[in-house]
Amino acid sequence: MYDLRKPCSKRRGPCAGFRFPEMLRFGLYLAAPFLSLVAPAQTAQQVRERLQAAETDYQQRQYAKSESELRSILGQSPENDAANELLGLVLSAEGRDADATVFFSKAVRLNPASVTARENLAANYAKRGQNTLAEAEFKRLVQLDPENFDLNHNFGEFYLRLGKLQSAIPLLQAAQSLKPADYPNGYDLSLAEMMSGRLADAETQIRRLLEVQDTAELHSLLGEIYERQNQFLPAAKEFQTAVRMDPTEDAIFDWGTELLRHQNLQEASQIFTSGVHLYPRSWSMNVGLGVAEFLLGNNSAAVASLLRAVDLDPENPKSYLFLSKIDQIPASQSAAVTDRFEQYAIRNPKMAQAQLYYAANLWQADQAANGTQHLAKVESLLKNSIALDPK
């Protein structure tokens, strides 16, 4: 079957795909008699061989060749459910999901008891955002084969992606009971339990998974659980472990943010400095470093980091929010800061906050110079901001 699964990551949220068995399991189809389904011009053995060839082409990603063969088979045997299902897989692999739906649906109609056909149809509906139809197929699937690990996992993950945590958890639990050592399902279950506030259950599940596979993302997730339980020291320890095991951008940011939350400013600055060194084009690392330096009173370093963040993501409003909090801009950086606020206001003429930031910056510049050079402009910007948002 077409494997829609992608690796789990907390920053991406739940796994962004479904997992089905690796092989297509066409043996069950190919063992059945085809004489009643084919035109006299081709025998059951010929159909069998052609399907096998098309399947091989599909597995080797020769999709055009596989599609051509399958359409030829269906031209003579339109009611062949295996050919319909495989053509749906080919079209899905090519990104032609709407076309694939037609053939998946027909395969299900021809063989309503086929779990594999319904698996593919459910996955197809989910990919296309047709969640009501996907949910209906998943429910039928679980009724057909309630002890199927993949079905319970995929259905649970489907609900997890929709944010329906209370529906997702029982299915993920059922899958985990069938395969207790399955890491991806266990991670999804831990994530769902944490997100739903079942922190003790999530911690227990993670402890079990750590015995199966000790990973940085599990330590990071455990750190977040401890943070939600207001257990600062265990949380910091887990985030630190995650960074040492795998210094990803997310892991470093989590650790630095945890240190910021609890006013370990010098350590946070060091962590974010390392993060900027490893990921110089990371918006989050530069913002984190800017905030840490600002809280330490190092305005010049804070401004430099936040200006880099603005340049990395000019439309992210948080960059300007943090920059606006620095009330004493060093003279050597004043022009650069004003330029960023001005450009943000020009690009966003209908955004009240953008006009306010620019006005406040100009007012600040006048105060620093003991003058009123920008007074008229400040007044105009403030009036515009109020008109855009009277509150």
Side-chain angles (χ1 to χ4, degrees), residues 11 33 41 84 95 117 122 143 148 160 184 188 200 220 223 234 239 271 283 335 363 376 389:
R11 289 294 162 193
N84 276 281
Q143 291 173 352
N148 187 311
L160 192 56
D188 285 351
S220 185
F239 287 131
I271 295 304
W283 176 86
W363 178 262
D389 184 359

Side-chain angles (χ1 to χ4, degrees), residues 12-186:
R12 290 195 298 272
C15 289
F18 300 112
R19 175 177 59 187
F20 293 142
E22 293 291 333
M23 299 306 293
L24 298 175
R25 293 185 286 175
F26 278 105
L28 293 175
Y29 293 108
L30 301 180
F34 283 98
L35 291 175
S36 61
L37 298 178
V38 299
Q42 52 181 357
T43 66
Q45 179 61 28
Q46 288 173 325
V47 173
R48 195 175 293 118
E49 291 173 356
R50 295 178 69 187
L51 274 172
Q52 288 174 338
E55 180 185 347
T56 298
D57 290 334
Y58 164 72
Q59 292 174 339
Q60 294 178 350
R61 300 186 179 185
Q62 298 183 33
Y63 301 131
K65 186 178 178 182
S66 182
E67 179 183 352
S68 177
E69 181 69 6
L70 289 166
R71 289 192 182 278
S72 175
I73 292 172
L74 289 172
Q76 297 180 357
S77 308
E79 301 302 297
N80 187 314
D81 54 323
N84 276 281
E85 184 178 352
L86 182 53
L87 183 53
L89 289 167
V90 171
L91 295 173
S92 182
E94 292 178 317
R96 297 158 61 186
D97 294 311
D99 294 335
T101 304
V102 175
F103 295 96
F104 286 140
S105 299
K106 189 171 182 180
V108 169
R109 179 177 61 79
L110 292 168
N111 191 358
S114 169
V115 172
T116 58
R118 288 192 180 278
E119 282 180 324
N120 283 316
L121 182 58
N124 175 266
Y125 282 145
K127 282 183 68 179
R128 296 183 60 199
Q130 296 183 324
N131 296 324
T132 300
L133 292 173
E135 182 180 20
E137 286 301 326
F138 276 125
K139 286 181 177 179
R140 293 190 188 99
L141 280 165
V142 172
Q143 291 173 352
L144 284 170
D145 193 358
E147 298 300 310
N148 187 311
F149 167 83
D150 288 325
L151 293 183
N152 283 283
H153 169 79
N154 291 338
F155 197 7
E157 195 169 76
F158 169 78
Y159 277 133
L160 192 56
R161 291 170 60 194
L162 296 180
K164 296 183 177 181
L165 302 178
Q166 299 309 316
S167 296
I169 289 173
L171 291 159
L172 295 171
Q173 287 175 331
Q176 202 67 21
S177 67
L178 291 166
K179 287 188 179 181
D182 188 85
Y183 178 92
N185 187 82

Side-chain angles (χ1 to χ4, degrees), residues 362-380:
L362 291 176
W363 178 262
Q364 184 184 77
D366 278 354
Q367 285 186 316
N370 294 318
T372 57
Q373 178 183 353
H374 303 105
L375 188 59
K377 181 67 173 177
V378 169
E379 181 179 6
S380 174

Side-chain angles (χ1 to χ4, degrees), residues 17 51 115 128 134 229 314 316 337 353:
L51 274 172
V115 172
R128 296 183 60 199
Q229 294 173 326
N316 193 320
V337 172
Q353 203 67 26

